[in-house]
Amino acid sequence: MPIKLPNNGTKISIQNNSLNVPNNPILGYIEGDGIGQDITNSCLRIWDAAVLKAYNGERKIHWAELFMGEKASKIYNGDYFPAETLQALRDLVVSIKGPLTTPIGGGFRSLNVSLRQTLDLYACVRPLRYYNGIPSPLSHPELIDVTIFRENTEDVYAGIEYQSGSPEMRKVENFLKQEMGAKFFADSGIGIKPISPFATKRLVRKAIKFAIDNNKRNVTLVHKGNIMKFTEGAFRNWGYELAKEEFASETITEEELYSKYNGEQPADKIVIKDRIADIMFQLMLLRPAEFDVIATMNLNGDYLSDAIAAQVGGMGIAPGANMNDDIAVFEATHGTAPKYANLNKVNPGSLLFSGVNMLEHIGWQKAADLISNAYPKVIQKKIVTYDFARLMEGATEVSTSGFADHLITEIDR
Ligand code: NAP
């Protein structure tokens, strides 16, 4: 058994739908491929330093290394996606991972997608906010503080596609044209996007709960329901339905805000609103302060989270997590950037802030805050990795581990 759990740690458990976190939790980490080793080693040092500073040794994370991707394949005889690792991710409840290369011809569309599907991690959660000093293309990036809940199990991720000319495509084409009266060009490749009330409601429920727990003021359902009425439009309708069924005392709709409350939002109510996907991209550029939490389907969420990430500094610092009601796997949102592998060069920010969100998730807010507060101080001194250095004048470019050293010094100050 390659996975060794640390002797002095205790597993996190779940009691009454909430996490029971001991002072010595075992957290899993997957180093990741390519630049994974560089960013993971640096981040482990930063997270440990923040926990030590915050709790003086009373609390300590006991890390268990888990294996997936290329490192796993070496250890598990060519298996990139070991069952032992999947079981450990379930058992340990909270873990974090670096980026993974998808083996070509390995029978996987993507290891990351497989991981989300196998563990039914139905919500991809991407908090996006601005830290002072980071180069941004916007005049007021500080107005962005939004958390996206992107559905992870259906829409295009359901992967129902038929290749042009294949027997399966012919069968579907015949059915759609002859039995359903559909019209489309001959030889079209065909894709089907299922959107269900079940998957919509569990995602919107998670987004609203997050808004309640974190004192957010609104949740926006983003959809293209004006065109795709029975998928995207249904997502919108089921989202409002869920809010009414389960959160009637905590939420009001935007329509009610004006019809019942004269446009004045009561302090104890979260506004549920919806926006069409295309206008949402404009709004996130022009009036981003109007959005706290976004709930949306897979493809919209994919585009929107990368676009908003770019507004606050890019993929190098955008954090993420994939979770269900029990298990959470935090992750760097960028890929393995193979050309920078083992050069100790890239920005550790994406994994770093995924770890900050992980500390918040387990309730260790003080340690999370130490990192969030120290980070802009280092950036404002223009001590940055190459990706930010090329966008700043007068920057001091440092390595991944060099950046970690500066950040730890600032945390300890
Ligand atoms: P990528 O690895 O994200 O890299 C694309 C570019 O993004 C890099 O060349 C670099 O830009 C910038 N970048 C990425 N991470 C950075 C960091 N930490 N700091 C600074 N800049 C960073 O995307 P890709 O080249 O398309 O994909 C490579 C592999 O990663 C593929 O095998 C793909 O399947 C996999 N992938 C994995 C995940 C995941 O595990 N979650 C996600 C996406 C892709 P510059 O060259 O401009 O400096």
Side-chain angles (χ1 to χ4, degrees):
M1 288 294 172
I3 295 176
K4 307 232 173 329
L5 295 188
N7 289 330
N8 297 328
T10 306
K11 286 182 194 171
I12 290 176
S13 58
I14 295 171
Q15 281 174 344
N16 303 327
N17 296 324
S18 58
L19 291 183
N20 183 9
V21 182
N23 282 341
N24 59 344
I26 303 175
L27 300 186
Y29 75 94
I30 295 171
E31 191 178 81
D33 301 325
I35 55 174
Q37 192 178 22
D38 285 342
I39 56 175
T40 302
N41 287 342
S42 288
C43 288
L44 287 170
R45 286 200 291 127
I46 300 166
W47 300 322
D48 283 344
V51 169
L52 181 63
K53 176 79 177 171
Y55 307 113
N56 261 323
E58 250 173 63
R59 289 178 174 177
K60 181 178 178 343
I61 297 170
H62 295 256
W63 297 103
E65 181 166 11
L66 316 178
F67 308 97
M68 197 167 273
E70 285 166 0
K71 196 165 181 182
S73 123
K74 291 188 190 119
I75 297 171
Y76 293 84
N77 292 325
D79 187 354
Y80 284 79
F81 198 62
E84 191 193 14
T85 299
L86 294 170
Q87 194 50 46
L89 291 169
R90 288 188 191 97
D91 289 347
L92 296 179
V93 182
V94 180
S95 304
I96 190 158
K97 66 175 267 295
L100 297 171
T101 309
T102 293
I104 294 169
F108 292 101
R109 196 149 60 112
S110 142
L111 285 182
N112 300 296
V113 176
S114 302
L115 177 62
R116 293 167 195 178
Q117 290 182 337
T118 310
L119 297 182
D120 193 27
L121 303 174
Y122 66 81
C124 175
V125 184
R126 302 269 304 263
L128 294 159
R129 55 163 285 201
Y130 181 69
Y131 292 92
N132 277 334
I134 290 179
S136 158
L138 296 194
S139 315
H140 288 289
E142 72 283 358
L143 296 179
I144 296 174
D145 185 355
V146 66
T147 301
I148 301 179
F149 284 74
R150 169 192 174 203
E151 209 289 326
N152 251 347
T153 62
E154 56 183 10
D155 190 4
V156 292
Y157 258 17
I160 308 176
E161 278 200 296
Y162 301 102
Q163 192 177 4
S164 169
S166 66
E168 294 81 6
M169 169 259 161
R170 293 283 174 229
K171 217 170 167 176
V172 178
E173 180 185 38
N174 285 342
F175 169 71
L176 288 174
K177 286 188 171 168
Q178 288 164 18
E179 294 193 35
M180 307 301 286
K183 290 192 174 73
F184 50 88
F185 292 120
D187 300 328
S188 297
I190 296 174
I192 294 177
K193 57 182 278 163
I195 305 288
S196 67
F198 168 73
T200 298
K201 286 188 175 182
R202 69 178 177 173
L203 181 87
V204 175
R205 180 181 299 116
K206 206 166 190 57
I208 296 178
K209 274 189 181 160
F210 172 86
I212 294 170
D213 293 345
N214 293 278
N215 298 319
K216 301 292 181 187
R217 301 291 285 145
N218 54 68
V219 176
T220 305
L221 308 167
V222 176
H223 61 90
K224 189 74 187 160
N226 51 333
I227 302 294
M228 291 169 274
K229 299 191 191 321
F230 303 132
T231 49
E232 305 243 346
F235 175 90
R236 166 194 179 276
N237 296 344
W238 290 322
Y240 280 120
E241 211 173 279
L242 181 277
K244 203 170 187 144
E245 284 163 0
E246 299 185 17
F247 300 99
S249 56
E250 293 101 338
T251 64
I252 55 172
T253 63
E254 190 174 42
E255 194 273 318
E256 287 168 335
L257 174 65
Y258 292 99
S259 64
K260 284 193 190 161
Y261 298 92
N262 212 13
E264 302 281 336
Q265 181 172 356
D268 61 342
K269 303 277 190 229
I270 292 164
V271 171
I272 309 293
K273 51 188 174 180
D274 75 278
R275 294 290 181 274
I276 305 261
D278 40 40
I279 199 73
M280 192 64 193
F281 282 85
Q282 282 204 28
L283 290 170
M284 285 311 301
L285 285 166
L286 301 174
R287 283 152 43 202
E290 293 177 11
F291 303 96
D292 290 354
V293 178
I294 290 171
T296 190
M297 287 145 288
N298 192 271
L299 188 58
N300 294 335
D302 196 8
Y303 297 151
L304 203 51
S305 48
D306 279 14
I308 302 172
Q311 295 176 220
V312 291
M315 297 302 289
I317 63 141
N322 294 291
M323 44 177 88
N324 60 27
D325 296 336
D326 300 330
I327 308 164
V329 181
F330 292 80
E331 67 167 4
T333 53
H334 54 69
T336 57
K339 67 181 173 187
Y340 297 119
N342 303 317
L343 297 183
N344 191 23
K345 186 174 170 74
V346 296
N347 194 333
S350 175
L351 190 68
L352 176 66
F353 284 109
S354 301
V356 169
N357 298 144
M358 179 173 70
L359 291 168
E360 290 171 342
H361 182 70
I362 64 171
W364 291 14
Q365 190 66 45
K366 195 169 171 193
D369 288 346
L370 279 173
I371 299 173
S372 300
N373 294 334
Y375 182 84
K377 291 186 184 141
V378 178
I379 300 287
Q380 280 168 311
K381 286 183 204 155
K382 299 195 174 186
I383 297 170
V384 289
T385 46
Y386 84 96
D387 52 323
F388 285 175
R390 68 188 168 189
L391 301 173
M392 287 171 153
E393 258 178 48
T396 306
E397 183 180 324
V398 289
S399 62
T400 313
S401 59
F403 183 81
D405 294 338
H406 282 282
L407 187 55
I408 290 169
T409 304
E410 196 60 55
I411 289 169
D412 282 338
R413 212 180 281 282

